[in-house]
Amino acid sequence: SPKMMQFVTAAILILHSPLASVAYNINNNNNNKISNTKTVNDRRSFLSIAAIPLAIFIATPLAPQPSAAFDNRLDDRYADRTPQTGVRPDTLGVKSRTSTSSKPSKGYEGLAPCDGRPNCWCSSTPFEDNPARYIQPWDSYNSRAGTAGKPIQDLKKVIDTYEVGQKDIDGGGFQIIEYDEAKGYLYINFQSYKNGFIDDVEFWYNGEKDKFDVRSASRIGQSDLGVNAKRLEYIGGRLEKEFGWKLNRRKNGSLV
């Protein structure tokens, strides 16, 4: 830490000062035959000068250290807080999964299922596995070009111009972690404004469904206060409006 570095610097200044040699002579005055009067005077001089860097070390205020914030965060307010980023789940990405509701169990390729906490939405998992956290996969419709290429570009454009702080969420900014146009895969981290919580968001073109699977989940805590739903509503709404995507909405008009 900066405070520790100041201490180490002070210690080095003391050890490498000429008076360090005097201190050594003080401890070995019998061998070097230093008089008692000189020993006392040298000791006082040593302690007096040695106190200077130590006083500087103690008096220097510890400057606030910025958190590992994203460059596109809303502003620098709260940027000095230590972000509660949690640990990136090792289940992310497109992998072989196993349905928990089918008997005998059936496998499928897709994004990670939600773990049961009410801070996650996922379309890869079969509806029967977790109805409460299920979201319909997204249909690129008018934007489809026979492959994942053009639709994933639509998604990338929306993310690149994502409005940080929209509906009072994601004020900490965002960062694209992985973008694979050939595979139709996009992975983004979004960060909360005050405490730096990280949400993992993924989109993947599922060729079997001919639609995009979607997953948005918080790493830490239980309730997300609707943050993941608001984010998906924003992204999905722009895809509909700007690129003609046709998304299945609920009776109340919401996506989630």
Side-chain angles (χ1 to χ4, degrees), residues 1 3 6 10 21 31 35 70 73 78 86 90 93 108 127 135 140-141 143 168 185 207 228 232 235 238 244:
S1 67
K3 201 73 172 175
Q6 293 173 9
S21 298
N31 293 334
S35 66
F70 295 140
R73 66 177 287 114
Y78 307 115
D90 58 10
Y108 64 93
F127 172 81
I135 180 176
S140 56
Y141 193 64
S143 185
D168 295 323
Y185 179 76
N228 286 284
L232 293 177
I235 297 172
R238 284 192 56 186

Side-chain angles (χ1 to χ4, degrees), residues 14 17 28 52 78 84 90 98 105 109 134 178 208 210:
I14 293 171
S17 68
N28 296 277
I52 295 175
Y78 307 115
Q84 307 300 310
D90 58 10
T98 302
S105 60
E109 290 288 316
Y134 180 78
E178 183 177 349
E208 185 175 338
D210 197 21

Side-chain angles (χ1 to χ4, degrees), residues 117-138:
R117 294 176 298 158
N119 58 15
C120 172
W121 296 96
C122 182
S123 67
S124 275
T125 308
F127 172 81
E128 294 77 14
D129 283 9
N130 195 347
R133 312 315 304 170
Y134 180 78
I135 180 176
Q136 290 276 359
W138 290 4

Side-chain angles (χ1 to χ4, degrees), residues 150-199:
K150 192 173 185 302
I152 196 65
Q153 291 174 13
D154 296 345
L155 267 166
K156 177 70 159 46
K157 290 175 183 176
V158 170
I159 297 301
D160 284 340
T161 56
Y162 184 85
E163 184 183 352
V164 171
Q166 62 91 17
K167 294 185 178 178
D168 295 323
I169 68 169
D170 300 330
F174 65 92
Q175 184 177 47
I176 294 177
I177 306 301
E178 183 177 349
Y179 174 59
D180 190 326
E181 188 171 303
K183 295 180 179 179
Y185 179 76
L186 179 59
Y187 168 38
I188 317 103
N189 282 166
F190 289 89
Q191 191 170 47
S192 68
Y193 186 41
K194 293 183 179 180
N195 296 309
F197 296 123
I198 293 290
D199 292 347

